[in-house]
Amino acid sequence: MTSSSVPPRPALPGSGSPVHDLTVLGSTDTHGFVYNWDYYRDAEYDDPAGNDVGLAKLATLIHRVRAERGDRPTLVLDAGDTIQGTPLTTYYARQEPITSTGQTHPVARAMNLIGYDAVVLGNHEFNYGLPLLEHWIRQLDCPALAANAVHHDSGEPAYQPYQMTRFAPGPGLPELVVGILGLTNPGTAIWDRAVVEGRLRFEDMVACAHRWVPVIRAAGAHVVLVSAHGGDSGASSYGPEMPNENPTAFIAEQVPGIDAILFGHAHQEVPQRFVTNRVTGDRVLLCEPSYWGQRLARIDLSLVTDGTGWRVAGARSALLNTNTVAEDPAVLAAVRPQHARTVDYVNRVVATSVVEMSAAESRYRDTPILSYVNEVQADAVRTALAGTAYGGLPVLSVTPPFRRTAVFPAGDVRIKDVAGLYIFDNTLEAVLLDGREVAAHLERSARYFRRFAPQEPVDPARISDPRVPDHNYDIMSGVDYDIDISRPVGDRITRLTHAGTDQPVVATDRFVVAVNSYRRAGGGNFPAVVRPAIHHDHREIRQLLIDWAQRRGKIDPADFYRQNWRLVRAGVPVF
């Protein structure tokens, strides 16, 4: 069957037919939150908007809707990114990995109790390697779907592509068959290249939907749902070397035969969006329920039958807020020992800080806490390359400010403080750059600052684009530089010298640059560092930060901090 040969939906009568319904409940981007708990603050989760988080909160809403619906058809789906993002999931991937202990993963415990019907693999499912992912999938009571993740050599699906679910709506009514297609994000090939290269390929999500929707229809599905780990913006954070990162609206527009799409990855709230399919003229419903379990999607599809089949006659969706309910006690009880063990771990003291250090201003001001990250990265690379052909080259280091609320308090510094500074599971790599490429990387980061006229007041709250994540503002150590925010994008690095000197960096200079694995693999689209690495350190950078602090016992900015960059306006420092 070709991609265009979608079996037509049956021509069923409309107005005179009894109306039935199917409810689809959906989560996405829960990122390891089970409890409504902030492990970095060691307190109940709280944010200025009053949101709550976690699978235990989602469970209460899901059970409530299921009870309300009784025997009527109801599905519970997840659109990916579930096993990475909190110290809880990091602990059971790295400190007591489920692959070694045989323990059931806390997220699997929670999802099995909730009774998910299918989950989709997000890009972060691959962070801890394929063996742990496979172990987690085996622990689930439902299928894990990813039609566009295929074996590198054969091109055959590496995971289950779709799920067929059957309902008996009632006496005298035909069986209702629902097909669920799962699509993961092709950016995984960039972001987790070290894990998947040579083993998996990630196909274009739109092309993959073209391939599989006709198969699902031909298998007898009356309703076709897509659960996709990709946003609806049509934009990508990387270059054109991989298929589109956020193509969900394109799928709805270009692939006939889809009734509704639950999607994630973009961490947005999309309560209800309709996209008209160009082939059929049908309106396809799209819904994204925020992230971390803050919202639950509820999609309601009206169905009509002629006595032999079903078709969708209408659709609507809304988001339910988890801050309106209590956590489900059964989910809390099932995960409590693992939660408690994680809390104990993150509260261990690793060092003493001489002064308080905060990341609040690190996007636009040189701060000691970001210098700490760069010092640890550069030190690790210098040590690893000593005695090699690269050992005599200057070592620069790059890190972005991941989390504005990160603080090292004066006094005891605990694992939660370090983990709160570096919240991602990136590993450390190093690349070789020349002076021109170093300048290009700094220009790429500098482009995200708002341009200010020479006499215009500079408000720190408005200095950076709020639409751009903080992790795109790379800070570099090992060179001195000015970023002139009065100048146009691409011409903002007005002073670039060797560290502590007035000697300009020139195109022929050579440097080793320490960089995280996400950035080196293309994440954020910083092309200067997308090249073969000359060094891989397979430990997470977060663990390097912890180990460095433990070895020294004291964190003192005097040991590593020297202001090496600044924002200027027409050459005059902004701060």
Side-chain angles (χ1 to χ4, degrees):
M1 181 176 291
T2 66
S3 61
S4 61
S5 57
V6 178
R9 300 179 185 180
L12 301 176
S15 59
S17 300
V19 177
H20 300 268
D21 61 1
L22 165 69
T23 292
V24 181
L25 303 176
S27 57
T28 190
D29 295 280
T30 53
H31 281 287
F33 281 97
V34 177
Y35 274 57
N36 183 43
W37 193 258
D38 185 338
Y39 291 93
Y40 305 122
R41 292 175 51 247
D42 195 22
E44 184 175 318
Y45 178 86
D46 189 30
D47 69 15
N51 290 305
D52 286 346
V53 297
L55 287 165
K57 288 271 186 171
L58 288 169
T60 301
L61 286 177
I62 290 167
H63 295 330
R64 178 178 294 180
V65 176
R66 278 187 172 137
E68 164 204 318
R69 289 190 52 77
D71 293 334
R72 288 182 290 167
T74 306
L75 285 169
V76 181
L77 308 178
D78 185 86
D81 276 5
T82 63
I83 62 170
Q84 177 278 339
T86 64
L88 175 69
T89 47
T90 300
Y91 188 84
Y92 287 97
R94 296 303 190 213
Q95 302 304 315
E96 293 185 21
I98 61 170
T99 47
S100 301
T101 66
Q103 289 192 68
T104 299
H105 194 284
V107 170
R109 289 183 191 274
M111 290 187 134
N112 290 343
L113 273 173
I114 293 169
Y116 276 81
D117 293 285
V119 302
V120 167
L121 300 184
N123 53 284
H124 282 291
E125 262 65 78
F126 295 87
N127 286 172
Y128 300 119
L130 298 183
L132 186 132
L133 174 56
E134 295 287 354
H135 206 81
W136 176 72
I137 289 173
R138 289 195 298 271
Q139 292 180 342
L140 290 173
D141 291 341
C142 67
L145 309 178
N148 59 320
V150 301
H151 290 293
H152 183 270
D153 294 332
S154 70
E156 291 299 311
Y159 305 95
Q160 186 171 325
Y162 65 91
Q163 170 74 3
M164 302 290 280
T165 303
R166 301 175 183 273
F167 296 98
L173 293 172
E175 181 181 56
L176 171 64
V177 183
V178 181
I180 307 157
L181 175 65
L183 299 171
T184 191
N185 203 286
T188 299
I190 293 175
W191 305 318
D192 274 306
R193 180 172 292 160
V195 171
V196 302
E197 191 168 36
R199 304 181 68 179
L200 297 177
R201 289 188 286 110
F202 294 84
E203 298 178 340
D204 180 272
M205 296 169 77
V206 181
C208 189
H210 267 298
R211 174 187 175 189
W212 285 105
V213 170
V215 173
I216 295 169
R217 285 281 178 190
H222 304 114
V223 177
V224 173
L225 307 172
V226 173
S227 185
H229 195 74
D232 65 342
S233 67
S236 294
S237 65
Y238 44 74
E241 69 273 18
M242 289 300 299
N244 192 284
E245 178 183 353
N246 295 297
T248 306
F250 297 150
I251 295 171
E253 183 181 65
Q254 298 173 26
V255 182
I258 298 169
D259 294 297
I261 302 177
L262 171 73
F263 69 99
H265 182 64
H267 289 208
Q268 300 296 315
E269 286 192 26
V270 183
Q272 180 174 276
R273 179 185 178 186
F274 286 98
V275 174
T276 300
N277 186 268
R278 290 180 180 178
V279 179
T280 64
D282 293 328
R283 295 203 312 162
V284 181
L285 174 63
L286 280 67
C287 185
E288 181 181 19
S290 190
Y291 59 99
W292 294 359
Q294 295 178 3
R295 307 288 183 270
L296 177 71
R298 176 171 178 163
I299 299 171
D300 291 295
L301 303 178
S302 299
L303 308 173
V304 294
T305 180
D306 63 354
T308 61
W310 297 90
R311 70 172 172 86
V312 174
R316 64 181 180 180
S317 64
L319 301 182
L320 308 181
N321 198 331
T322 56
N323 70 7
T324 63
V325 297
E327 293 172 286
D328 180 76
V331 171
L332 294 182
V335 180
R336 183 170 288 116
Q338 293 170 306
H339 168 73
R341 198 158 179 84
T342 303
V343 169
D344 176 71
Y345 172 73
V346 300
N347 278 283
R348 296 176 190 172
V349 175
V350 292
T352 299
S353 181
V354 174
V355 296
E356 179 179 287
M357 294 187 288
S358 168
E361 298 181 335
S362 293
R363 284 166 299 128
Y364 53 84
R365 194 194 296 266
D366 192 352
T367 59
I369 200 166
L370 264 290
S371 293
Y372 172 75
V373 178
N374 274 331
E375 173 65 19
V376 173
Q377 292 184 163
D379 184 54
V381 168
R382 278 193 294 266
T383 300
L385 295 182
T388 73
Y390 307 107
L393 294 177
V395 177
L396 316 185
S397 179
V398 171
T399 192
F402 287 118
R403 192 166 176 262
R404 300 181 197 184
T405 56
V407 175
F408 285 2
D412 288 346
V413 176
R414 303 175 189 275
I415 287 175
K416 68 181 182 183
D417 303 316
V418 182
L421 172 63
Y422 209 104
I423 58 176
F424 293 106
D425 298 303
N426 302 323
T427 56
L428 181 63
E429 303 188 4
V431 296
L432 191 64
L433 299 186
D434 62 28
R436 178 186 57 82
E437 291 160 337
V438 167
H441 187 95
L442 292 173
E443 287 285 5
R444 176 71 186 178
S445 179
R447 72 196 297 266
Y448 294 119
F449 290 109
R450 181 174 174 269
R451 189 176 183 182
F452 285 81
Q455 303 304 318
E456 184 181 358
V458 177
D459 178 1
R462 296 173 55 245
I463 207 166
S464 55
D465 187 336
R467 298 168 298 178
V468 177
D470 289 353
H471 58 69
N472 280 323
Y473 292 87
D474 275 4
I475 308 304
M476 184 177 286
S477 69
V479 289
D480 296 346
Y481 59 100
D482 288 349
I483 303 173
D484 196 325
I485 56 175
S486 69
R487 299 182 67 84
V489 167
D491 189 31
R492 290 185 160 181
I493 306 302
T494 54
R495 179 180 67 93
L496 179 59
T497 65
H498 288 264
T501 76
D502 293 325
Q503 180 185 348
V505 171
V506 298
T508 55
D509 287 334
R510 297 172 75 228
F511 303 92
V512 172
V513 180
V515 63
N516 71 61
S517 54
Y518 171 84
R519 185 70 84 230
R520 203 279 305 171
N525 196 18
F526 282 69
V529 296
V530 180
R531 60 188 57 223
I534 60 171
H535 170 66
H536 296 266
D537 190 321
H538 296 292
R539 295 169 294 174
E540 283 91 357
I541 292 169
R542 177 175 51 240
Q543 191 61 47
L544 294 174
L545 299 176
I546 294 169
D547 293 345
W548 197 90
Q550 283 181 315
R551 283 196 306 271
R552 298 189 175 227
K554 183 177 74 170
I555 301 174
D556 186 349
D559 294 336
F560 54 80
Y561 175 61
R562 183 187 65 82
Q563 184 179 8
N564 73 294
W565 70 276
R566 60 187 181 173
L567 292 184
V568 301
R569 185 172 48 173
V572 178
V574 173
F575 303 109

